């Protein structure tokens, strides 16, 4: 509902700007992907792995639905993001530091090791 409201507001704002500036506008939805939630059990295990590696845990919403939506149909999931220079991702300018990749590998190793616990999945 939040995403749909945001799209509606954007369309209404664009229509007001179009009218005020006397320009034409065409609004066409090119792709629409539903929102899905990460597995709470996987989020907890990933957070534990981040903490065990000595790093602070940060939770945030992500627009990375192109991966998660498909996966959510067959399995629980969570996401770990690696810092990118300037926050740029999915772009030829994307760049990560070797140290950040090493941290991600360590965290994912801890996460995968904890998947053997089936009690809360």
């Amino acid at each position: 509902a939040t995403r749909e409201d945001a799209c509606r507001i954007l369309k209404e704002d664009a229509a007001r700007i179009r009218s005020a500036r006397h320009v034409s506008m065409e609004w066409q939805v090119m792709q629409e992907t539903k929102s899905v939630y990460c597995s709470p059990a996987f989020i907890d295990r990933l957070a534990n792995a981040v903490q065990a590696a000595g790093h602070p845990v940060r939770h945030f919403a992500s627009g990375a639905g192109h991966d998660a939506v498909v996966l959510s149909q067959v399995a629980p999931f969570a996401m770990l993001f690696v810092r990118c220079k300037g926050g740029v991702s999915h772009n030829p300018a994307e760049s990560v530091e070797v140290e950040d990749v090493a941290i991600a590998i360590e965290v994912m190793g801890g996460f995968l090791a904890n998947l053997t616990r089936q009690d809360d999945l």
Side-chain angles (χ1 to χ4, degrees), residues 46 49 78-80 102-114:
L46 191 53
M79 293 186 187
L80 176 68
I103 291 168
I105 292 169
E106 178 183 4
V107 167
M108 288 308 298
F111 172 78
L112 292 171
N114 282 327

Side-chain angles (χ1 to χ4, degrees), residues 2-112:
T2 301
R3 180 182 49 79
E4 290 170 356
D5 286 345
C7 288
R8 179 187 46 75
I9 290 167
L10 285 170
K11 186 175 181 180
E12 290 169 357
D13 287 350
R16 277 194 293 280
I17 292 168
R18 176 201 49 81
S19 180
R21 295 187 180 179
H22 306 290
V23 295
S24 62
M25 176 188 89
E26 180 180 327
W27 186 275
Q28 181 181 4
V29 176
M30 301 300 288
Q31 178 182 346
E32 191 167 51
T33 306
K34 70 178 186 169
S35 299
V36 295
Y37 290 98
C38 293
S39 159
F42 277 26
I43 291 171
D44 289 345
R45 288 184 180 175
L46 191 53
N48 290 339
V50 169
Q51 288 175 326
H55 302 282
V57 174
R58 296 190 177 106
H59 296 275
F60 56 95
S62 168
H66 58 280
D67 299 324
V69 172
V70 174
L71 186 58
S72 73
Q73 303 304 306
V74 296
F77 73 94
M79 293 186 187
L80 176 68
F81 292 90
V82 177
R83 270 191 311 198
C84 295
K85 183 179 179 181
V88 174
S89 125
H90 293 76
N91 180 293
E94 181 174 359
S95 174
V96 296
E97 297 292 328
V98 171
E99 294 82 7
D100 290 331
V101 173
I103 291 168
I105 292 169
E106 178 183 4
V107 167
M108 288 308 298
F111 172 78
L112 292 171

